[in-house]
């Protein structure tokens, strides 16, 4: 490990939170003070990285009635029960939100870890490896607290995130160019075929 880096556990640098039960009678509202995310919301178009579009919203009154925790913006969430674990989805909350009891969240201590660094690191973690691999797999808070994470100083974390962002932007541009070139090639082929 590089000089200045430390090996920490997620429990040292994050609060690990579980979601709340979400009875059907409270579901289906399309507006409210808090989005209430379920595992299925991770599949919604537009939620590939950040969870920002919810199928359910609740008011503060309902939140208190449910005893649902408000999970802060930039926390990292992932499935903690069932087959969804093997999909290995991790998302970052775009807004303060509530999560259901099939979801676990990592709330970063921002004095120690940059939320974007935590999210980038989590992309390389196979969460299924941390499950109990039972017939209905699950991930426990105790297991997550013990996950080791290499932790550089905050300035280095931000530098790493900046490099990754730049690399991913380059990949996005390359993909857009490849798609445009493929479209042009198809059009050229179609025009050539029509001409003969």
């Amino acid at each position: 490990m590089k000089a200045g880096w430390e090996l920490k556990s997620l429990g040292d640098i994050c609060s690990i939170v579980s979601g709340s039960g979400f009875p059907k009678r409270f579901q289906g509202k399309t507006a409210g003070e808090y989005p209430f995310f379920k595992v299925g919301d991770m599949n919604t178009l537009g939620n590939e990285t950040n969870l920002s579009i919810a199928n359910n919203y609740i008011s503060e009154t309902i939140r208190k009635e449910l005893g649902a925790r408000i999970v802060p913006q930039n926390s990292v969430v992932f499935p903690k029960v069932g087959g969804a674990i093997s999909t290995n989805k991790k998302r970052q909350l775009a807004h303060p939100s509530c999560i259901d009891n099939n979801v676990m969240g990592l709330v970063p201590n921002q004095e120690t870890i940059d939320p974007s660094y935590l999210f980038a690191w989590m992309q390389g973690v196979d969460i299924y490896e941390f499950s109990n691999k039972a017939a209905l797999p699950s991930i426990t808070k105790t297991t997550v607290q013990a996950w080791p994470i290499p932790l550089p100083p905050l300035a280095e974390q931000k530098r790493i995130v900046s490099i990754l962002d730049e690399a991913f932007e380059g990949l996005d541009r390359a993909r857009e160019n490849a798609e445009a070139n493929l479209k042009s090639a198809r059009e050229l082929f179609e025009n050539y075929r029509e001409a003969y």
Side-chain angles (χ1 to χ4, degrees), residues 34 58-70 98:
Y34 301 103
I58 59 170
S59 66
E60 174 65 7
T61 304
I62 298 300
R63 185 195 71 77
K64 287 180 176 173
E65 185 175 336
L66 294 173
R69 176 193 308 261
I70 301 168
C98 297

Side-chain angles (χ1 to χ4, degrees), residues 60-196:
E60 174 65 7
T61 304
I62 298 300
R63 185 195 71 77
K64 287 180 176 173
E65 185 175 336
L66 294 173
R69 176 193 308 261
I70 301 168
V71 184
Q73 179 179 358
N74 295 324
S75 297
V76 178
V77 296
F78 52 90
K80 70 169 192 171
V81 178
I85 293 173
S86 64
T87 66
N88 224 1
K89 290 182 171 77
K90 300 103 182 180
R91 302 291 188 262
Q92 203 166 19
L93 294 178
H95 313 282
S97 307
C98 297
I99 55 177
D100 90 344
N101 53 2
N102 293 311
V103 178
M104 185 172 283
L106 305 177
V107 182
N109 173 351
Q110 295 189 36
E111 293 177 8
T112 309
I113 186 165
D114 181 82
S116 296
Y117 176 83
L118 174 64
F119 183 64
W121 178 80
M122 281 295 292
Q123 298 312 303
V125 172
D126 181 358
I127 59 173
Y128 182 74
E129 289 303 312
F130 294 97
S131 73
N132 62 5
K133 300 177 186 71
L136 183 67
S138 63
I139 299 173
T140 66
K141 180 177 179 177
T142 304
T143 302
V144 175
Q145 285 173 326
W147 289 358
I149 177 172
L151 194 68
L154 265 173
E156 180 74 358
Q157 293 175 37
K158 292 177 188 302
R159 191 180 76 78
I160 289 167
V161 168
S162 176
I163 290 168
L164 289 172
D165 286 347
E166 193 173 309
F168 286 126
E169 285 172 14
L171 288 172
D172 287 343
R173 280 193 303 275
R175 183 170 40 252
E176 288 168 7
N177 288 340
E179 287 170 358
N181 289 340
L182 183 59
K183 182 179 177 200
S184 294
R186 284 185 182 137
E187 289 171 356
L188 183 63
F189 178 75
E190 289 298 321
N191 291 339
Y192 178 81
R193 197 167 62 177
E194 288 172 7
Y196 295 93

